[in-house]
Amino acid sequence: MKIHVITTMIALVVFLIAAIWFSKKKYKINLSVLGLGAVAFFVSSQVLEKIVHLLVLHPQKDGTVPLMTENPLLYVVYGVCMAALFEETARLVFFKWLEKKRALEDSDALAYGLGHGGLELLYLGMGSLISLLILFSLLESSNPDLANLLPKNTLETVQSLSGWQVYLLGVERVLALVMQIGLSFWVYQAVRQKNWIYLVTAYGLHAFFDLAPSLSQVGWISNPLLVEGLLAVEVVLFVYFTKTILYKK
């Protein structure tokens, strides 16, 4: 199983580097904007949003969240709304700030999206894969006591994983990256054209994209192929919708 994890990790890093290189070469993206997009992702979703989660959800020491079991529907609604609120607002703040510095360009939306989604890919995707790699190493250790240190639920989940499920984690990160780039264009156009319907649309689309994974998290969708299949269809339709609405020829 470790080979599947390592292969996925390498593939994600190569994909991200290739995407940045291609965007820099063809669209002349500003690497400073890319870096600031990464910072905006981290501050908005991994600092500010996490603080709100701690205050509202009161996660337990074992990582469980009471609301998830007591009222899973409310947990799902809360989760998708908070993710959309913090990440899209970060985009809004950034583009409004950048607009005061200089004229906005289409490449800024691409650069921001690559930074935002790229760090998400590395921080969340690679973080999950590294955790899996460590867990598989513990399970394969010659010392059985190490595996016994793991919580029972974690142990059962890791032991039930198949190779294709590991690769699905990589696919999900790529789909998320495409989504983050697309959403950046919506908020960018909202600021550039002063059309706030685009901003509202970005909030709604972000929440919608997070719906299937959130339903899976509470156990209402148990098939990972269904989750990723839904995400893939959503992303394809989203790309077409974005090109049609924002860039009419």
Side-chain angles (χ1 to χ4, degrees):
M1 286 297 294
K2 288 196 292 186
I3 187 63
H4 299 304
V5 176
I6 294 171
T7 300
T8 304
M9 291 170 67
I10 294 173
L12 285 177
V13 172
V14 170
F15 176 83
L16 180 59
I17 292 174
I20 294 173
W21 176 84
F22 177 79
S23 299
K24 177 63 175 174
K25 184 176 179 64
K26 183 168 183 179
Y27 299 106
K28 313 299 182 186
I29 63 170
N30 187 314
L31 295 182
S32 296
V33 173
L34 185 148
L36 290 171
V39 172
F41 160 75
F42 188 82
V43 172
S44 63
S45 70
Q46 301 305 310
V47 178
L48 299 178
E49 186 181 348
K50 289 290 177 67
I51 291 174
V52 173
H53 289 341
L54 288 173
L55 295 174
V56 175
L57 297 178
H58 305 293
Q60 305 302 299
K61 292 182 178 180
D62 60 359
T64 59
V65 178
L67 184 63
M68 187 186 295
T69 52
E70 294 170 4
N71 195 329
L73 178 59
L74 182 58
Y75 176 82
V76 167
V77 172
Y78 168 84
V80 300
C81 289
M82 286 298 103
L85 175 64
F86 280 92
E87 292 185 48
E88 300 316 308
T89 301
R91 284 184 173 89
L92 174 64
V93 170
F94 173 78
F95 285 122
K96 286 183 72 67
W97 170 81
L98 186 61
E99 186 183 40
K100 294 180 180 178
K101 301 292 182 181
R102 60 168 173 79
L104 295 176
E105 301 174 359
D106 287 357
S107 62
D108 293 327
L110 176 58
Y112 180 97
L114 275 171
H116 185 122
L119 185 60
E120 181 183 59
L121 181 150
L122 294 175
Y123 189 81
L124 300 183
M126 297 295 285
S128 298
L129 291 167
I130 290 172
S131 296
L132 279 178
L133 192 60
I134 294 171
L135 291 172
F136 285 132
S137 297
L138 289 175
L139 291 176
E140 295 174 8
S141 171
S142 57
N143 185 353
D145 291 334
L146 291 177
N148 293 332
L149 295 175
L150 299 173
K152 185 179 178 181
N153 290 341
T154 301
L155 191 61
E156 291 175 351
T157 300
V158 173
Q159 289 175 329
S160 67
L161 279 177
S162 301
W164 62 268
Q165 290 176 293
V166 175
Y167 293 121
L168 270 184
L169 289 174
V171 171
E172 180 178 317
R173 287 301 97 209
V174 172
L175 293 174
L177 176 60
V178 175
M179 178 201 76
Q180 296 289 12
I181 293 172
L183 289 170
S184 296
F185 276 96
W186 280 88
V187 180
Y188 158 79
Q189 291 289 10
V191 174
R192 188 178 185 184
Q193 299 185 31
K194 303 297 185 290
N195 188 338
W196 303 112
I197 295 299
Y198 291 160
L199 178 63
V200 174
T201 301
Y203 281 116
L205 286 170
H206 194 135
F208 179 69
F209 282 131
D210 284 344
L211 184 58
S214 296
L215 291 175
S216 174
Q217 192 176 8
V218 298
W220 288 2
I221 299 179
S222 57
N223 188 332
L225 279 174
L226 178 58
V227 175
E228 303 309 324
L230 287 171
L231 286 175
V233 171
E234 289 169 3
V235 168
V236 170
L237 293 175
F238 172 58
V239 171
Y240 174 78
F241 180 59
T242 298
K243 290 180 65 177
T244 302
I245 300 298
L246 297 185
Y247 293 93
K248 298 175 184 177
K249 297 297 184 180

